[in-house]
Amino acid sequence: MWKLFLLSFCFWIFPFPAQAALDLNGVSITASVNKTSITLEDELSLTVTIEGAAGEIVPQLPSMPAFNVYQRSFVQQTNNFHITTTYQYVLLPRFPGKTTIGPITLDYGNKTYKTDPISVTVYRSPRQPAQTKTRNTTSTATQKKAKQYAQAPADMPALEKDLYNRAARLGNKDYFMVAAVSDKTPYANQTITLAVRFYYARPFMGTAPYTAPAINNLFMEEIGRSEGRQIIDGKTYIYTEIRYSLSGVTATEASIGPASIKYVPETRLNLSMFDKMFATMGQEPQTVQSNSISLQIRPVPTFAQPKSFYGAVGSGYTVSATVDREEVEAGDAINLTVKVNGPGNLKPTSDLKLPTIAGFKTYDVVSTSGMVPTNGELRSYKIFKTVLVPAASGTYSIPSLPWSFFDPDTHDYRTIYTEPISVKVTPSTQADAGFDFSNQQDLGNGFRQLGRDILYLKSNLNTDTDSFLSKIGKMNWLIYIALIALGLCGLFAFADKKTLAQKHALAKAKAQLKNAYHEEVISDTLSTYLQVRYQVNTGSLPLREISAALKQKSCPSALIERFEVLWQKLDAARFAPVDMQGEGTHELAAQALELIKDMDKESKK
Amino acid sequence: MKRYLLAFLLACCCAFSLHAGDLQEAEQYYREGRFAAALGAYENLLKNYPNDPHLYYNIGNCYFKMGSRGLAIANYYRAFRLAPRDTDIRHNLTLSLEAAGERFVPAGMPVILHKAFFSLTILELKGLTILSLLLFCVLAGFWLCKRKAGWLVCISLAVLLLMSGWYFCRDHADAVSLAVVAAPTAELRSGPGNNFPASANVAQGHLLVVLDSKDHWDEVIIKSQAIKGWIAANDLEKI
């Protein structure tokens, strides 16, 4: 019993999370049409796609007085628990003019979802040419010349008009193909559209293999298929249209070869399904080809070409820039992504060149590109990624980045910009990697250095850092004592400078007499001493006057007499011939030294 | 009195044995690779022995092993100033400075001359200069009084001038306010504030000369690069 209860509980509980998951996944509704401009004979295919909604869901179509609306199909697919529901409607236009398919709504889970409105232009059916029935049909040539074809409405887009008119000219056949391009002289990298239509007024057997046109100097990408109807000369044709996006990379001549289809025409009507399966057997397939087209690809003008032009040609581009984080440490990398969206093929355009961004170290840009066919148009994107490394902290701004393209409609260049991005950089907190001790080298003698490291700890304290010199260094008072002592010595010397001068004179005399080699030196020494000791100048005075001066200076008479004797001996030695000299120089010097010493002793008494 | 003296000696012995135990414990942490714990223990010891070069050396080793090259250099430098003749300190300081892109011995100067110039502490050099002055004063006084031994006065004067010059150069070198980048990277700005643009990033371990300080910003010169600017004081370790 309890098992049954548990089972019931689970049965009731589980749907709720499932419902919640659906809500979390999100429900969306989109609507698209196979073409946005049609004639009154055409039919419009409206596709409504509902994503993520389960159960029986029916979108609410708006009032569309300009169309007769029929539901064509309903498909619901589940892939990885994701449900996609697709409704297809056929819209037959009722009158010409511009009309809008309003928002298609879906009420689901207490919410209402809406699609965007779609604008469609319906053109008037081309006027059927008046069947000029010439009464005088003398020649077929004249008939051909007189034949007039139904002309496409003037306000129809060029490509549709070209296709329409080409088809009108070939309308006398049951099966034929036409091809046309939106522009025969595009610029390099400009995207144009190639449309190839296979018209058939009668059904054909089985499938009809299609061969795409060969291209030269062009890049081609299929962007969609559609079907339609056209009445030519009163005959209703059904056509299948394949559209391609074309672009030339370089300025040159380009060509589009014919596209072809092999088919087996249905000759007998009212065949059963079984008969249709085997009716092609034994019948030769027929081939129809579209016309070839030549293109002249023009270069974009170089005059006034902006520096930020990288080769994009078209209109409706958008550019945006994002960073993976707006707050970062100095030295850390920021990923900058610049995304360009626009028509055509952006793959051959060059890479974005980043300007110098103040405060950041920039690196090379890496790009990726891709294409997405959307509603009969090829749109592409190019993503540029680079790394910016801020060098220092602060608030920096990644400036607006320019992106230029050439607009073929206005024939001039236009520049669009990204929004500036502010980045806050905080100081780095990362420690560096430390040391590399892998510096190995062979030192010879069997030694190999494996690396270098710091030496080990000191296991003891070194408290005895005060050496004798350090202790002396702390005794600043010693400097003052030494300087004071030196000063006192100087003072003493200054105070007793007379005595010191005499001492100095005695010391000098002693030194000179010790090495005296001539009587002249002895005389000079004696004169100098007398001048210092007694302030008596002996230079120009005769001996008598010198003696008188010494006597006046209180020199003892005995010393004066000894001086006179010595002075006469010195005079005699100086002026007498060499062989007449009595005593030797050394003896005279000894006598002079004795005299000076006695004079010094006398002064101390 | 004897009792007090005995108690004092006992207390000294106990204190020393406690510190020896702390030293062994710190070394044990270091050997086990627990550098932060070893650093804490050495810094505790430093409070009691603020002029011990071995403690600064060991603290430098701990910071080095923890990856803080700047703080390691700062502590090696402090140890070097206290014990300039210690070869281990010189080795570790040289190695860590070289790893930071700096040179311990200036380019072009012979290592032997650098060693000779830094063979004495500034205090020892001051003591030697004072002794030279004393010698000169004695000899000069003698000469003034006796007018004898004049050549000895000349020699002592030459020695005094040499020592004074050496001391002046060392004092001038030590008076320069050195700092080292302690943060992983420091930003050199043109003014004292974050609103001034950064002109360079300086990796940790670079030696700087601090010229001025203003509002927690230091004006510095990076001698190895010859550039000048302002760095946040928090990013620096003054030596």
Side-chain angles (χ1 to χ4, degrees), chain A residues 75-340:
Chain A
V75 179
Q76 193 166 55
Q77 291 177 323
T78 304
N79 187 16
N80 289 336
F81 303 103
H82 189 76
I83 301 167
T84 305
T85 309
T86 307
Y87 286 89
Q88 273 208 324
Y89 302 91
V90 175
L91 277 63
L92 298 177
R94 294 174 63 190
F95 41 81
K98 281 191 176 178
T99 184
T100 301
I101 301 171
I104 300 165
T105 57
L106 172 70
D107 293 324
Y108 184 80
N110 298 325
K111 283 186 179 176
T112 302
Y113 302 90
K114 287 183 179 178
T115 65
D116 294 330
I118 302 169
S119 293
V120 177
T121 307
V122 181
Y123 299 101
R124 189 177 296 282
S125 298
R127 193 162 52 83
Q128 294 299 317
Q131 295 291 323
T132 311
K133 292 182 180 178
T134 50
R135 291 182 181 176
N136 301 320
T137 53
T138 52
S139 67
T140 50
T142 310
Q143 281 179 3
K144 281 181 184 174
K145 197 172 180 181
K147 175 114 177 155
Q148 290 182 0
Y149 303 108
Q151 292 296 311
D155 54 351
M156 188 179 262
L159 177 61
E160 275 76 15
K161 194 191 284 182
D162 195 6
L163 287 167
Y164 195 99
N165 292 336
R166 282 177 183 277
R169 283 197 290 272
L170 295 169
N172 56 347
K173 297 176 182 174
D174 286 339
Y175 306 91
F176 62 89
M177 285 183 84
V178 292
V181 290
S182 57
D183 189 352
K184 285 189 175 179
T185 56
Y187 289 100
N189 275 346
Q190 181 188 349
T191 302
I192 57 171
T193 305
L194 165 69
V196 179
R197 280 183 183 175
F198 172 51
Y199 283 84
Y200 53 97
R202 296 181 61 189
F204 52 86
M205 309 289 287
T207 56
Y210 168 74
T211 304
I215 50 169
N216 185 26
N217 292 332
L218 289 168
F219 175 83
M220 186 169 81
E221 181 84 8
E222 184 181 328
I223 53 176
R225 298 183 179 210
S226 63
E227 290 184 344
R229 291 187 304 167
Q230 186 175 338
I231 298 168
I232 304 170
D233 285 345
K235 191 190 284 186
T236 301
Y237 285 85
I238 296 171
Y239 64 81
T240 300
E241 181 182 288
I242 301 177
R243 289 199 172 209
Y244 300 93
S245 172
L246 295 176
S247 60
V249 178
T250 53
T252 181
E253 286 185 354
S255 61
I256 305 164
S260 64
I261 276 185
K262 283 185 179 178
Y263 66 97
V264 178
E266 192 174 298
T267 51
R268 291 175 293 169
L269 299 174
N270 302 324
L271 290 176
S272 67
M273 183 64 73
F274 185 78
D275 290 335
K276 281 182 179 175
M277 286 175 65
F278 297 99
T280 56
M281 293 176 69
Q283 286 197 39
E284 279 296 318
Q286 296 183 20
T287 303
V288 286
Q289 284 188 334
S290 67
N291 50 300
S292 299
I293 301 170
S294 293
L295 302 176
Q296 182 65 46
I297 299 170
R298 293 182 285 167
V300 291
T302 53
F303 177 72
Q305 193 176 74
K307 284 183 180 176
S308 56
F309 176 69
Y310 302 106
V313 178
S315 57
Y317 285 102
T318 59
V319 63
S320 62
T322 53
V323 289
D324 59 341
R325 47 193 170 154
E326 292 179 350
E327 190 165 337
V328 70
E329 279 189 7
D332 281 0
I334 301 170
N335 290 313
L336 171 68
T337 305
V338 179
K339 187 171 184 179
V340 180

Side-chain angles (χ1 to χ4, degrees), chain B residues 2-13:
Chain B
K2 282 182 181 176
R3 282 182 188 171
Y4 289 124
L5 190 63
L6 199 66
F8 176 73
L9 288 173
L10 199 64
C12 286
C13 288

